[in-house]
Amino acid sequence: MAPVPQEGETVVQNNVGDATHRSKVTVIGSGNWGSVASKLIASNTLRLSSFHDEVRMWVYEETLPSGEKLTDVINKTNENVKYLPGIKLGKNVVADPDLGNAVKDSNMLVFVTPHQFMEGICKKLAGNIRADAEAISLVKGMEVKMEGPCMISSLISQELGINCSVLMGANIANEIALEMFSEATVGYRQNREVAERWVQLFYTPYFIVTAVQDVEGVELCGTLKNVVAIAAGFVDGLDMGNNTKAAIMRLGLREMKAFSKLLFPSVKDSTFFESCGVADLITTCLGGRNRKVAEAYARNGGKRSFDVLEAEMLQGQKLQGVSTASEVYEVLSHRGWLELFPLFSTVHEISSGLLPPSAIVEYSEKLPRSF
């Protein structure tokens, strides 16, 4: 098997596979990003002999306005008409509303659902997956438990007893669906061969994937940048201009790095210069749903809640930044770190209605000199 690239290196695809030990893939999630992930993966499983052609995609069943089931429409039209309209997923993508059936016989599990649903999904899967299964998480967010924060990759590993890598990057799903050039980062723990397998599964000429041995660093970048994007949306909603937004992004990157290294000292500085780091932060603060809804929140002076705006603006998709800001705030408060992270703290206080949106540029006065 070809070696995994080091940080910053590009992978060359490998077409050689053992047909007697072909991997079977299930994508757990079928929203906007889940559908795009299925499209990427399906194009590669057809081409690479080391994978079964069929890609199962678990769908949380919904009834469309037409009265039809979403799963039936996806399988009939080869298109997720609700979350990724106008894009063909690949004839080898099979939507399945039964979670247990969707993962049956699969040894490569791709998790891509809103993070607040992950614990329930894992509990349903426990004891119902192959013992040799490998997982990868595309989920942004964390669970905050009594004993402290738990990354989604750790939650998957603990609940299912399997290894879990992560994939994060500057990945606005609709652009990748249109096959615009993009990059992503796989974070892995120990097994370089497993990491290479994930790279092969996702890599296309328009979706360049590299691997780094830093699961926590990659995952925290993907998680925390949504908090910074909320701040960037506030700036846009208040028409504060590009200089202010750039300052917020710089301060946000600094807090992302500091928070990550306080929680996990093993996190590498170089990870923040991968696609999952500074690139994802930039694209999420320029586009994406978190910035968009935060802008609307600020334009309404904080008088309309994020829940209401999410329901109006996202057609069933979920925000991640507001809930992540709340979870981060809980960690900071519990550990006595609030003063060390004024941007993260202020984003939560604005989002929860404790401060007005204009406070986003006032927080810097609280910045400790020693930070």
Side-chain angles (χ1 to χ4, degrees), residues 74-115:
I74 292 172
N75 287 331
K76 183 169 66 177
T77 65
N78 193 228
E79 185 180 321
N80 189 332
V81 294
K82 180 167 183 180
Y83 296 111
L84 194 65
I87 301 294
K88 297 299 182 186
L89 301 180
K91 295 291 187 185
N92 52 324
V93 174
V94 178
D96 192 332
D98 184 320
L99 182 59
N101 192 62
V103 302
K104 185 180 180 183
D105 299 326
S106 290
N107 65 325
M108 298 187 79
L109 305 177
V110 180
F111 289 88
V112 53
T113 67
H115 78 275

Side-chain angles (χ1 to χ4, degrees), residues 55-75:
V55 175
R56 290 257 160 188
M57 180 175 75
W58 175 67
V59 176
Y60 180 79
E61 191 65 281
E62 300 179 54
T63 302
L64 300 173
S66 64
E68 294 176 285
K69 298 292 187 185
L70 178 58
T71 302
D72 293 338
V73 175
I74 292 172
N75 287 331

Side-chain angles (χ1 to χ4, degrees), residues 143-146 148-149 259 323-338 348:
E143 292 278 335
V144 178
K145 301 177 180 294
M146 288 296 292
F259 184 81
S323 55
T324 300
S326 175
E327 290 151 358
V328 168
Y329 191 89
E330 192 175 334
V331 174
L332 297 179
S333 179
H334 180 72
R335 300 197 177 194
W337 294 347
L338 284 172
H348 170 68

Side-chain angles (χ1 to χ4, degrees), residues 29-30 36 67-68 91 102 125 144 184 186 188 201 269 313-314 317 342:
S30 59
V36 173
E68 294 176 285
K91 295 291 187 185
L125 288 176
V144 178
V186 165
Y188 70 100
L201 189 62
D269 288 348
M313 300 175 69
L314 299 185
Q317 295 181 72

Side-chain angles (χ1 to χ4, degrees), residues 65-337:
S66 64
E68 294 176 285
K69 298 292 187 185
L70 178 58
T71 302
D72 293 338
V73 175
I74 292 172
N75 287 331
K76 183 169 66 177
T77 65
N78 193 228
E79 185 180 321
N80 189 332
V81 294
K82 180 167 183 180
Y83 296 111
L84 194 65
I87 301 294
K88 297 299 182 186
L89 301 180
K91 295 291 187 185
N92 52 324
V93 174
V94 178
D96 192 332
D98 184 320
L99 182 59
N101 192 62
V103 302
K104 185 180 180 183
D105 299 326
S106 290
N107 65 325
M108 298 187 79
L109 305 177
V110 180
F111 289 88
V112 53
T113 67
H115 78 275
Q116 51 267 48
F117 303 141
M118 277 302 302
E119 190 164 18
I121 288 171
C122 285
K123 288 191 183 305
K124 289 179 182 175
L125 288 176
N128 295 308
I129 60 170
R130 282 175 51 167
D132 64 343
E134 287 280 342
I136 194 166
S137 173
L138 281 59
V139 181
K140 280 93 171 175
M142 65 175 75
E143 292 278 335
V144 178
K145 301 177 180 294
M146 288 296 292
E147 59 272 24
C150 177
M151 303 311 299
I152 298 300
S153 63
S154 298
L155 176 73
I156 292 167
S157 291
Q158 291 165 12
E159 293 286 343
L160 303 182
I162 59 176
N163 181 53
C164 186
S165 304
V166 296
L167 182 144
M168 307 281 161
N171 304 146
I172 291 178
N174 288 336
E175 295 181 10
I176 300 168
L178 295 172
E179 302 189 4
M180 297 178 181
F181 182 84
S182 184
E183 297 177 313
T185 311
V186 165
Y188 70 100
R189 295 197 185 281
Q190 301 295 334
N191 193 325
R192 293 169 64 86
E193 286 197 354
V194 169
E196 168 63 12
R197 208 153 182 73
W198 288 120
V199 169
Q200 286 183 328
L201 189 62
F202 282 94
Y203 187 106
T204 72
Y206 62 88
F207 192 72
I208 306 302
V209 186
T210 56
V212 298
Q213 193 173 1
D214 185 6
V215 169
E216 285 81 13
V218 173
E219 190 168 11
L220 277 163
C221 281
T223 296
L224 297 172
K225 54 92 181 185
N226 283 329
V227 180
V228 186
I230 296 289
F234 293 153
V235 169
D236 287 342
L238 295 167
D239 294 317
M240 288 180 170
N242 291 327
N243 293 341
T244 307
K245 192 170 179 178
I248 291 292
M249 290 164 68
R250 184 191 69 80
L251 292 165
L253 182 62
R254 183 169 69 178
E255 292 196 12
M256 286 168 57
K257 182 179 174 185
F259 184 81
S260 299
K261 291 179 84 71
L262 277 174
L263 284 185
F264 300 99
S266 63
V267 167
K268 299 176 181 177
D269 288 348
S270 57
T271 299
F272 294 89
F273 295 95
E274 295 294 329
S275 179
C276 63
V278 65
D280 195 8
L281 177 66
I282 291 168
T283 198
T284 309
C285 289
L286 297 180
R289 69 187 77 157
N290 291 281
R291 188 220 61 81
K292 176 182 175 182
V293 179
E295 178 182 359
Y297 182 85
R299 290 200 186 281
N300 283 280
K303 295 185 173 77
R304 306 187 71 215
S305 73
F306 272 98
D307 287 342
V308 169
L309 292 169
E310 176 188 84
E312 283 183 8
M313 300 175 69
L314 299 185
Q315 289 80 50
Q317 295 181 72
K318 294 293 180 185
L319 281 178
Q320 300 295 297
V322 173
S323 55
T324 300
S326 175
E327 290 151 358
V328 168
Y329 191 89
E330 192 175 334
V331 174
L332 297 179
S333 179
H334 180 72
R335 300 197 177 194
W337 294 347

